[in-house]
Amino acid sequence: MSATVSAYLNIYQIFPVESTRTNILGVLIALASISIVFQALWYRRALQAVNYIPGLRVPFHPFSGPGAVIPTTWWNPGLSFMWKWRRSMYAYYGCDTISLVPFFVGPATLYTSNLDVVRQVIGSSGGKKFHKSKASLTGQIVLRWGMNIFVANTHVWRKHRRIMGPAFTSILYEVVWAETLKTYREMVAEEGWSTQDRISIPAVQSLTFKLALLIIGKCGFGFQFSWAEPARTADGRMAVQEALRISADSFKVSLFVPWWIKILPFKRFKEVAEATTELLAFMQTQVAERKADIRARGSAGNDAFSMLVKASENEEVKYRMDDSEIIGNVFIMLFAGHETTARSLSATIGFLALYDDLQEEIYQQIMSVVGQERDPVYQDYIKLNKVLAAFLETLRIFPPAYFMVREAFEDTVLRVPTGEEGATAVPVPKGTVVIVDMIGIQYNPRYFDDPEEYRPSRWYEVAHEPEAFYAFSNGPRQCIGHKFATTEAVCFLTMLLKDYKMEPVMKKGETKEQWKKRVLSAKLGLTLGVEDVPVDFVRRKNI
């Protein structure tokens, strides 16, 4: 025993404790130094990737885990910075195109609110050098359900567009108008409005989201749902609208929370898992039933869903879709087809309730075109330009899809305007991310006078949306459901304004300006909308 103790004592004499601690500290310092050098080199390469264009230098990219979770502050952009800094960001750097380079997490990125740059990135000519990024925030979310028209590129996108495109014709838009009119009547009856002169709605979104999902379900999928019996998941445990809402609102959980945390017994995680499972089961059931129906009848309907399902049976491999592609497109149609329209309708109602003179002006046009004796018909759409203008101006103020992500798939060059001096050629290496800031475009005084002002008259004499209007994207990748959404919106708003005057529900002592600041304030997630809109609908005959 004494020999063993002596041996240990000899070791401590040879390697004293202090020396061991010093060695460990030295190793840690060396590792830290290597890490700092590596990070500095990485940061330098990131600056080179954006050609040292001035811009934000931040710890985390807004679309990275920590960058998305931490709120927008002076040192962290967060997910809301494009909205919160819209008035000052580009002006501060003196250019409509800036860079964002994180110190620690995320890729170097170019942000632009300049149409000349946008044309190069997503236009029919220059856009060929940029693809939609599957690694983007929205790309990761929607790809969980399967490849779809929203994220597809090149020949895959052309296949999806070729299959779905024929469904979106004037015949469909007439059906959309008729179903919107019918659903409006169902809403009035089922909500018990027929016997009421004043209806108080704590959050108008409760109506618009239900309406929009019913219309896309009926017209895009041929589902036989009604206001009294909306769509439910396969086992009936959850409304499809609720499952979609949970899926959209929980994108941070889906993307940034590790799987081993998601399995913990927390209510939120259970809710997200259940919504995902129920929604997937609903879509799979609908696909299986539609396949069986098409096989039994020997033909498919003209709705987009039937065309998707029929494509899975196509013997020509070039235009065949597998089940994951069908599910992916079903999800994007259900989600985008109701989420964006519902949010924009809610905000439009809020603006019209706020501005009495504007509401009256639009009401008078409805009376001159439609009158009180009949319902509006699809042929009235083109004459109701002021109703459409109110909706388009809301889309400008609060663009639901508020950014587009593109990635250079080869080394290329962007010509970035530099004011009166012309343009600077900016080398863009392969893999560089470029984000089209739709909020920045819609609030750019270069394209819109007094961009903060809600002014539908901008669109009164405009036959088609100008290039600066990017709420539905632009160019060859413009939203396939563009006319679907505007048709639904014009019909619903026409009926609502024809029957009711809208008034804001304000708190005690609150002014209209305070109501506007509280209610018509941006609410950002996967899409951009506003806070809950409380309004009263007052029957016209009693005004």
Side-chain angles (χ1 to χ4, degrees):
M1 179 68 71
S2 59
T4 303
V5 172
S6 298
Y8 277 116
L9 289 174
N10 289 335
I11 290 173
Y12 275 106
Q13 289 173 356
I14 298 171
F15 302 106
V17 173
E18 192 63 36
S19 175
T20 303
R21 289 176 178 171
T22 302
N23 290 338
I24 293 174
L25 182 61
V27 170
L28 292 176
I29 291 174
L31 290 174
S33 300
I34 293 171
S35 177
I36 291 171
V37 170
F38 175 81
Q39 200 68 32
L41 291 173
W42 179 89
Y43 180 67
R44 183 183 177 187
R45 285 195 296 270
L47 289 172
Q48 290 172 339
V50 294
N51 204 46
Y52 296 94
I53 288 178
L56 303 170
R57 306 295 178 254
V58 295
F60 315 111
H61 195 284
F63 297 163
S64 67
V69 172
I70 300 172
T72 299
T73 62
W74 65 269
W75 59 270
N76 181 69
L79 288 176
S80 303
F81 85 101
M82 283 183 283
W83 173 262
K84 292 186 176 181
W85 299 351
R86 67 190 184 281
R87 298 184 184 94
S88 59
M89 182 168 67
Y90 296 103
Y92 179 82
Y93 293 103
C95 186
D96 294 339
T97 300
I98 65 171
S99 65
L100 184 147
V101 182
F103 297 125
F104 303 116
V105 182
T109 304
L110 292 174
Y111 280 78
T112 187
S113 63
N114 186 281
L115 289 179
D116 291 329
V117 176
V118 172
R119 276 191 290 268
Q120 298 171 65
V121 174
I122 70 171
S124 57
S125 55
K128 293 179 181 178
K129 297 180 180 179
F130 292 86
H131 282 174
K132 282 198 169 186
S133 174
K134 297 176 184 177
S136 69
L137 193 68
T138 48
Q140 292 180 65
I141 289 291
V142 298
L143 274 176
R144 291 187 304 143
W145 304 95
M147 179 56 68
N148 56 78
I149 193 171
F150 179 76
V151 294
N153 285 305
T154 60
H155 68 282
V156 179
W157 174 79
R158 286 192 291 272
K159 178 182 78 170
H160 287 232
R161 183 84 182 199
R162 175 169 178 154
I163 291 168
M164 297 173 65
F168 291 84
T169 66
S170 59
I171 296 174
L172 172 65
Y173 306 138
E174 289 196 47
V175 173
V176 169
W177 189 280
E179 286 295 344
T180 302
L181 189 63
K182 178 183 175 183
T183 304
Y184 172 82
R185 294 296 188 203
E186 289 179 1
M187 177 188 73
V188 170
E190 294 296 334
E191 296 294 327
W193 294 2
S194 302
T195 58
Q196 299 182 55
D197 293 330
R198 178 179 288 269
I199 301 102
S200 290
I201 311 294
V204 80
Q205 285 90 336
S206 64
L207 303 176
T208 60
F209 273 81
K210 190 172 182 178
L211 168 86
L213 186 58
L214 283 172
I215 299 304
I216 188 63
K218 290 179 179 181
C219 302
F221 293 85
F223 297 158
Q224 298 303 310
F225 301 129
S226 66
W227 195 270
E229 297 182 7
R232 301 196 70 82
T233 53
D235 59 7
R237 290 196 302 168
M238 184 179 289
V240 172
Q241 179 181 327
E242 182 185 5
L244 284 167
R245 179 190 58 78
I246 293 172
S247 180
D249 292 348
S250 63
F251 72 94
K252 291 182 183 179
V253 173
S254 302
L255 288 183
F256 305 128
V257 176
W259 67 268
W260 51 271
I261 293 182
K262 292 179 190 176
I263 63 175
L264 296 176
F266 294 118
K267 180 181 178 182
R268 181 59 174 167
F269 296 159
K270 287 183 177 180
E271 187 180 55
V272 172
E274 181 182 6
T276 302
T277 302
E278 291 289 315
L279 191 56
L280 180 60
F282 169 79
M283 292 188 290
Q284 289 172 334
T285 299
Q286 295 300 325
V287 170
E289 290 179 355
R290 190 60 57 92
K291 279 186 176 182
D293 183 57
I294 290 173
R295 288 168 184 166
R297 292 190 293 114
S299 62
N302 293 323
D303 59 272
F305 182 44
S306 293
M307 291 182 176
L308 285 170
V309 174
K310 183 182 178 182
S312 69
E313 310 284 293
N314 198 324
E315 294 181 0
E316 189 177 350
V317 176
K318 183 178 179 181
Y319 299 115
R320 185 183 301 161
M321 276 193 178
D322 59 35
D323 282 359
S324 69
E325 289 178 298
I326 297 175
I327 295 294
N329 280 294
V330 168
F331 173 79
I332 202 65
M333 286 175 64
L334 283 173
F335 173 71
H338 97 284
E339 172 94 1
T340 55
T341 303
R343 287 189 183 279
S344 300
L345 273 174
S346 301
T348 303
I349 291 170
F351 277 120
L352 294 179
L354 187 66
Y355 299 117
D356 293 330
D357 292 346
L358 176 60
Q359 184 181 164
E360 180 63 21
E361 179 185 349
I362 296 174
Y363 170 71
Q364 290 303 327
Q365 183 183 68
I366 293 171
M367 288 298 97
S368 67
V369 173
V370 181
Q372 282 288 4
E373 303 305 317
R374 68 174 178 90
D375 286 336
V377 294
Y378 178 64
Q379 288 68 30
D380 295 324
Y381 174 87
I382 195 170
K383 302 173 187 176
L384 295 166
N385 64 309
K386 292 185 178 181
V387 183
L388 176 60
F391 186 66
L392 294 180
E393 180 68 349
T394 300
L395 287 167
R396 185 192 68 81
I397 295 283
F398 296 108
Y402 55 99
F403 63 90
M404 289 186 288
V405 183
R406 295 294 186 269
E407 182 178 326
F409 72 91
E410 63 181 39
D411 292 345
T412 185
V413 174
L414 285 177
R415 294 193 61 78
V416 177
T418 54
E420 301 295 330
E421 302 173 5
T424 299
V426 177
V428 179
K430 178 181 178 180
T432 301
V433 175
V434 180
I435 291 183
V436 176
D437 178 1
M438 249 87 81
I439 296 174
I441 292 173
Q442 308 302 339
Y443 283 83
N444 192 332
R446 186 192 304 271
Y447 310 122
F448 296 100
D449 295 332
D450 300 319
E452 295 284 342
E453 180 185 349
Y454 180 76
R455 192 199 305 164
S457 58
R458 300 177 200 273
W459 315 100
Y460 283 0
E461 305 302 326
V462 179
H464 302 284
E465 295 92 350
E467 188 181 19
F469 186 79
Y470 265 80
F472 294 108
S473 185
N474 213 318
R477 297 292 298 253
Q478 187 179 47
C479 174
I480 196 171
H482 169 196
K483 185 68 177 290
F484 188 113
T486 57
T487 301
E488 176 186 347
V490 170
C491 181
F492 180 73
L493 290 170
T494 297
M495 288 301 297
L496 196 59
L497 285 166
K498 182 172 176 285
D499 292 344
Y500 300 96
K501 185 178 187 298
M502 306 169 188
E503 296 178 354
V505 175
M506 295 182 284
K507 295 180 178 180
K508 185 177 181 180
E510 189 175 42
T511 65
K512 279 193 172 184
E513 193 59 35
Q514 290 169 333
W515 184 89
K516 177 184 177 182
K517 186 176 181 180
R518 174 173 63 89
V519 173
L520 297 177
S521 176
K523 185 176 182 179
L524 285 91
L526 278 181
T527 57
L528 172 62
V530 297
E531 299 293 337
D532 288 348
V533 180
V535 291
D536 278 352
F537 295 151
V538 183
R539 192 176 298 280
R540 289 278 177 186
K541 67 178 183 180
N542 292 303
I543 296 175

